[in-house]
Amino acid sequence: MLTGWVSIVIGATVMALWFVRPVDLAVTVPTLFAMQFNTALCFVLSGSAMYLLQSNAPRPSILAASLAGLLAAATLAEHVFDVDLNIDQLFIEPFVTVGTNLAGRMAPNTALCFVLINAAILISGVLGRPSQIRIVLAAAVFMISSSALLGYLLSITTTHDWLPLARMSPHTAFCFVGLSTGLIFAGIGQLGYHPPVVAATLAAASYFLLLSLTYVELLRQEVLFTEELPATEHSNARSTLLAVLLLSGAVYAGLIAYAFRSSERSRKMAIQLDVSRKRLAAIIDTAVDGFITIDDRGTILSVNPACEKIFGYAVGEMIGHNIKMLMPAPYHDQHDQYLANYRTTGEAKVIGVGREAEGQRKDGTTFPVDLSVARIDLDHQVLYSGIVRDISERKQYEREILEANAELEEFAYRTSHDLRSPIASSLGLIWITHDMIRQGASVVELEPILTRIEQSFRKLDNLIQNIIFLTRTKVLDEPESTIAVARAVRETVDRLRPMDGGHLSTVHIDIPDTMVVRKKASRFQIILDNLLSNAIKFHDPAVQVPEIFVQASTVKGRFILSVADNGLGIPPADEPKLFQMFKRFHPQHAQGSGLGLYILRKSVEHLGGTVAYRRQDKGSIFTVTLPEENRR
């Protein structure tokens, strides 16, 4: 685009000068008017075509290149066939003639370069991509125009004066060098060419073209040179200068060959580096841990996709911002000071040492992370790379393990005590029974003691049954099945009727007969057994008609089962301990192990749900909420 604009500006400037007709300027700087009006017009058109081509506007580019190419081709035909097509003064009548035998006519070498450069632009516009033929045509223009520029610098007239009075002006050569360079190197990588190699090749070709033209110039000036530099017995000036030029050309060719080999080695190293970079990027991009790179001021330079999942920010929202945005207080407030202290004292608290910290997501929530930071020393910069791992799940497991260990300790202690108590009581009663038998006690006298022994063993059996239930909730695994909720509730109520208070309680079931759920049947049955048995067992003796209300419904994808009663309820002080192991709230009213509500909670949680208690003016309401689709 830049080379196109340069050609447009130079061409438009020269056109303006031709319109203004500054005679004094033409006398003072005649070289400015060596570029004819048609030449300047072609540069405006060619520069526009170049700019439009790079702006992805192929049709206007083709139109502009076609106009410039036709005008140049017509001028070239005038030179080749020695005809006058009346195009030299088509747009303006020249007021001065510089560098041409016909006023306003474009030089033949200039016309040829326009034909070649616009042909290259046309081909690119039609194909829509770089091509080898474009590079060849542009390279030919580059060699011609660069040789002309070098000729001006070295005062070699042949390079810019191919035919008598047919000169290529320096600003004309400059524009051609710019346009050809742009066409050669724009998108050259798509063709698999290495830009330094192409540049070296162009330089070598231009140099050898310059050598050839210089030799021709020496032939033309041979007489003058021999007069100034007389020949010796073994050589003359022409052969000596030619040898010098050829030797320098050989040296230059050797340098080009060396540059080519070095470029190839560099290209191979670049390819290997690119492969290594892509391999490393693939590893980092697919890692589940977050990788973050920051500079010495804490600005985020790069993050991998895992950071998006961990912190909730898009990559673009993190890069360029301070790493503090991912930290909660107090880390957020202390981080800049920490980096400043580290730069001053070199004392590291995190760098090189893994530690646990806290991160902050985009929504403001905090979470625990494992953090390890490493220092990266570059030539002129210090960077820091960090690996972040979200350990929320691990911390949750740790808490669950600690809770399970605490429950296990309490379970072992309470179980050993509760198992030993009825056994010890029964052993004592058996010793009393033996003593009474030896004393000749009657069956009637022994019956109360035997009844107490039976009660102790029933209490022991009940505890063992609860322990079995608890074990089943932890290890039992079974497939889901379809359960008719109303029928399951009715069957459970019928089975629990023989319990103490079962025949007194009135159970109201408000569940549609068509309602079904897909759950693990044994766990769902444990839930029903505990809810209904507690409601029956802990009825209030002072209430003439104990009532139990069972309801079930589905709300927003959740199954909700509630059991309400007008029984004894739970003392407010005991509500925080409601679902813990071995908690008995009415031991004087009914015997139990204290594991029922704990087993209920574990069974509900295993099915992915929750259980809640709400106190009523009279009695209690237990509500179980389960997902319609199990999450486990």
Side-chain angles (χ1 to χ4, degrees):
M1 287 185 179
L2 177 62
T3 59
W5 271 114
V6 169
S7 296
I8 293 172
V9 171
I10 292 177
T13 302
V14 173
M15 289 175 65
L17 289 175
W18 279 105
F19 278 117
V20 174
R21 296 173 170 265
V23 177
D24 293 338
L25 182 62
V27 173
T28 305
V29 190
T31 304
L32 287 175
F33 297 91
M35 180 187 288
Q36 304 301 317
F37 182 87
N38 285 0
T39 303
L41 176 60
C42 285
F43 273 125
V44 172
L45 292 172
S46 300
S48 300
M50 181 71 170
Y51 176 81
L52 292 168
L53 179 66
Q54 299 304 319
S55 300
N56 295 320
R59 290 185 179 179
S61 174
I62 291 173
L63 178 61
S66 299
L67 293 175
L70 288 174
L71 182 57
T75 304
L76 188 61
E78 287 184 321
H79 285 288
V80 173
F81 299 108
D82 193 20
V83 295
D84 187 0
L85 300 178
N86 296 320
I87 59 174
D88 302 331
Q89 301 181 28
L90 179 63
F91 303 103
I92 193 173
E93 182 179 351
F95 68 96
V96 65
T97 301
V98 180
T100 180
N101 57 344
L102 295 173
R105 179 166 292 186
M106 187 189 306
N109 51 352
T110 302
L112 176 61
C113 287
F114 273 126
V115 171
L116 296 176
I117 207 76
N118 285 287
I121 295 174
L122 281 169
I123 291 172
S124 297
V126 172
L127 297 179
R129 56 178 174 80
S131 61
Q132 292 180 338
I133 186 64
R134 185 183 91 175
I135 294 177
V136 171
L137 294 174
V141 175
F142 178 86
M143 291 168 58
I144 294 172
S145 55
S146 61
S147 298
L149 283 178
L150 290 173
Y152 276 107
L153 294 175
L154 301 175
S155 299
I156 303 174
T157 60
T158 307
T159 56
H160 54 79
D161 190 4
W162 290 15
L163 298 174
L165 300 179
R167 303 176 64 87
M168 179 182 288
S169 65
H171 41 314
T172 299
F174 177 78
C175 289
F176 278 133
V177 168
L179 288 173
S180 59
T181 301
L183 286 170
I184 291 170
F185 289 99
I188 194 173
Q190 299 178 29
L191 299 175
Y193 295 118
H194 202 44
V197 175
V198 175
T201 304
L202 282 175
S206 300
Y207 185 82
F208 286 123
L209 176 61
L210 184 62
L211 284 180
S212 302
L213 294 174
T214 302
Y215 182 72
V216 173
E217 178 71 8
L218 288 175
L219 289 178
R220 293 172 55 188
Q221 303 291 336
E222 183 178 6
V223 175
L224 177 63
F225 270 77
T226 53
E227 288 178 359
E228 294 182 357
L229 300 172
T232 64
E233 181 180 356
H234 302 289
S235 64
N236 55 34
R238 178 172 57 81
S239 60
T240 300
L241 290 176
L242 182 60
V244 171
L245 290 173
L246 291 177
L247 179 60
S248 64
V251 172
Y252 190 81
L255 292 174
I256 292 297
Y258 175 77
F260 178 79
R261 292 187 59 188
S262 298
S263 175
E264 283 298 301
R265 285 197 299 269
S266 300
R267 186 175 64 85
K268 291 179 181 178
M269 290 176 61
I271 291 174
Q272 294 174 356
L273 181 63
D274 184 60
V275 171
S276 299
R277 182 188 63 79
K278 290 180 178 178
R279 187 183 296 117
L280 179 61
I283 294 173
I284 292 176
D285 289 346
T286 56
V288 295
D289 293 338
F291 285 79
I292 305 175
T293 304
I294 64 172
D295 62 15
D296 57 353
R297 297 188 179 278
T299 302
I300 299 174
L301 303 178
S302 66
V303 295
N304 70 332
C307 291
E308 293 184 315
K309 183 178 179 181
I310 293 174
F311 293 101
Y313 290 97
V315 171
E317 293 178 296
M318 291 183 278
I319 293 178
H321 292 80
N322 196 287
I323 190 68
K324 294 188 299 183
M325 68 184 296
L326 307 180
M327 301 177 183
Y331 308 101
H332 180 279
D333 303 324
Q334 299 173 355
H335 186 261
D336 286 346
Q337 186 61 42
Y338 169 73
L339 282 178
N341 292 339
Y342 177 72
R343 288 194 297 267
T344 304
T345 65
E347 180 183 355
K349 296 182 180 179
V350 179
I351 298 170
V353 181
R355 59 172 287 186
E356 290 185 6
E358 281 193 345
Q360 180 171 288
R361 298 186 179 91
K362 184 177 181 179
D363 60 7
T365 58
T366 60
F367 60 100
V369 297
D370 254 343
L371 175 65
S372 59
V373 181
R375 175 182 171 128
I376 304 172
D377 291 303
L378 303 179
D379 291 339
H380 305 290
Q381 190 179 16
V382 176
L383 304 180
Y384 301 96
S385 66
I387 301 177
V388 180
R389 175 176 296 173
D390 185 349
I391 57 173
S392 302
E393 189 172 346
R394 191 184 80 189
K395 286 294 184 181
Q396 177 64 27
Y397 289 151
E398 289 177 357
R399 286 192 295 270
E400 290 178 357
I401 290 173
L402 291 175
E403 292 174 1
N405 287 339
E407 289 180 351
L408 182 61
E409 290 179 4
E410 183 181 4
F411 178 77
Y413 170 76
R414 295 299 299 270
T415 301
S416 61
H417 177 271
D418 287 2
L419 285 174
R420 188 176 181 277
S421 178
I423 292 174
S425 175
S426 298
L427 289 174
L429 291 172
I430 291 173
W431 182 82
I432 294 173
T433 302
H434 278 295
D435 186 56
M436 292 177 66
I437 290 173
R438 283 194 298 269
Q439 294 177 7
S442 65
V443 176
V444 175
E445 294 175 319
L446 292 175
E447 187 173 354
I449 299 177
L450 293 176
T451 300
R452 292 177 61 185
I453 293 174
E454 181 186 6
Q455 291 176 347
S456 295
F457 278 109
R458 286 189 181 279
K459 181 179 179 181
L460 179 62
D461 179 67
N462 182 57
L463 178 61
I464 293 173
Q465 288 294 330
N466 280 322
I467 292 174
I468 292 173
F469 271 123
L470 180 61
T471 304
R472 288 179 64 191
T473 62
K474 293 182 178 294
V475 301
L476 183 64
D477 192 15
E478 62 177 315
E480 292 183 353
S481 59
T482 301
I483 302 169
V485 180
R487 186 175 66 182
V489 171
R490 285 193 292 267
E491 290 176 353
T492 304
V493 171
D494 292 341
R495 181 163 45 82
L496 297 176
R497 284 292 183 189
M499 290 182 60
D500 183 21
H503 293 290
L504 299 175
S505 300
T506 301
V507 180
H508 306 278
I509 301 175
D510 182 13
I511 302 173
D513 290 335
T514 56
M515 177 176 285
V516 295
V517 292
R518 283 193 60 79
K519 300 294 173 188
K520 296 177 180 180
S522 62
R523 297 188 186 278
F524 191 77
Q525 189 60 55
I526 290 174
I527 294 171
L528 292 179
D529 286 345
N530 278 279
L531 288 174
L532 293 171
S533 64
N534 283 339
I536 294 172
K537 188 190 307 181
F538 296 104
H539 67 276
D540 189 350
V543 176
Q544 187 175 2
V545 181
E547 290 185 293
I548 301 172
F549 300 87
V550 184
Q551 293 180 321
S553 60
T554 56
V555 179
K556 295 181 180 180
R558 296 177 299 169
F559 170 76
I560 299 175
L561 174 68
S562 64
V563 176
D565 62 64
N566 59 350
L568 295 172
I570 304 294
D574 292 330
E575 289 181 11
K577 301 177 291 184
L578 187 60
F579 296 103
Q580 296 179 11
M581 288 192 297
F582 301 109
K583 300 302 177 183
R584 302 183 182 95
F585 303 108
H586 300 287
Q588 73 282 358
H589 182 76
Q591 295 294 325
S593 64
L595 290 173
L597 291 178
Y598 176 80
I599 293 173
L600 169 66
R601 176 170 68 89
K602 287 297 181 181
S603 297
V604 172
E605 289 176 352
H606 187 88
L607 295 179
T610 59
V611 58
Y613 164 80
R614 188 170 81 251
R615 184 164 17 96
Q616 298 191 104
D617 294 336
K618 181 61 179 175
S620 307
I621 296 179
F622 284 87
T623 302
V624 172
T625 303
L626 300 175
E628 286 191 326
E629 295 295 334
N630 265 349
R631 293 177 293 184
R632 296 192 177 219

